[in-house]
Amino acid sequence: MLKTLNFISALMIIISLLYTIVVYQYLPSEVPTHYNLHGKPDAWGSKPIIFLIPGISAYAWLLIYIVYKYYDKIAKLGLNFKNEIPSEEAIRFDKKLLVVLNFESALSFSLSHMKDVYNILGGNIDFGVYELVIFLSVILITLVYGILKGRKYK
């Protein structure tokens, strides 16, 4: 399951990047770079800036993936407040949590970016402030679950 989630999250970022490349020629010379809480553009930049979000998403995904891949070794260094080495159960749980958070953030950023590009091209998908609320809620629920469930592991 973890390999599948890693694959799907990487695939979403690649699809987002490919979509941007395919429609790039149809974008105006200035594109929105920031939106207010109501989903309306309030800052503008030159067309190449449109690759910033997929680039940041790919970079963040790669960093979290590297931590996930080497988490066993990192955890066994005992770099925590008590200088203790976590149990194998705790390490497995932490790795699952990393993959799920990586999936949620990659999915959210990719879908949001593709929605923004679609809207720049004349589409009309508008979630307004709810997009941010949904994204933060999903991440927060996952983190709270991870903290509460992770407390049972030593």
Side-chain angles (χ1 to χ4, degrees), residues 74-94:
I74 295 168
K76 290 180 179 166
L77 293 174
L79 303 174
N80 54 43
F81 293 116
K82 296 180 181 177
N83 291 327
E84 295 175 350
I85 296 175
S87 68
E88 290 298 320
E89 285 179 317
I91 291 172
R92 277 194 304 278
F93 178 77
D94 291 347

Side-chain angles (χ1 to χ4, degrees), residues 52-96:
L52 184 63
I53 295 298
I56 291 172
S57 293
Y59 182 72
W61 182 89
L62 184 61
L63 283 177
I64 295 171
Y65 180 78
I66 289 169
V67 170
Y68 154 77
K69 203 69 174 157
Y70 295 101
Y71 190 74
D72 299 48
K73 294 176 182 170
I74 295 168
K76 290 180 179 166
L77 293 174
L79 303 174
N80 54 43
F81 293 116
K82 296 180 181 177
N83 291 327
E84 295 175 350
I85 296 175
S87 68
E88 290 298 320
E89 285 179 317
I91 291 172
R92 277 194 304 278
F93 178 77
D94 291 347
K95 287 178 76 168
K96 286 178 188 175

Side-chain angles (χ1 to χ4, degrees), residues 3-65:
K3 286 182 181 181
T4 303
L5 280 181
N6 275 326
F7 175 76
I8 291 171
S9 59
L11 186 62
M12 284 301 300
I13 293 170
I14 292 167
I15 289 170
S16 173
L17 182 60
L18 288 175
Y19 175 66
T20 306
I21 291 169
V22 167
V23 301
Y24 184 77
Q25 63 184 341
Y26 304 109
L27 295 173
S29 59
E30 280 197 334
V31 296
T33 58
H34 189 266
Y35 297 86
N36 64 21
L37 287 177
H38 304 288
K40 305 297 179 208
D42 60 4
W44 299 82
S46 62
K47 189 159 88 167
I49 199 80
I50 203 75
F51 291 105
L52 184 63
I53 295 298
I56 291 172
S57 293
Y59 182 72
W61 182 89
L62 184 61
L63 283 177
I64 295 171
Y65 180 78

Side-chain angles (χ1 to χ4, degrees), residues 114-127:
M114 287 190 286
K115 175 199 63 92
D116 290 346
V117 171
Y118 176 77
N119 286 345
I120 291 169
L121 292 169
N124 188 22
I125 299 174
D126 184 19
F127 298 114

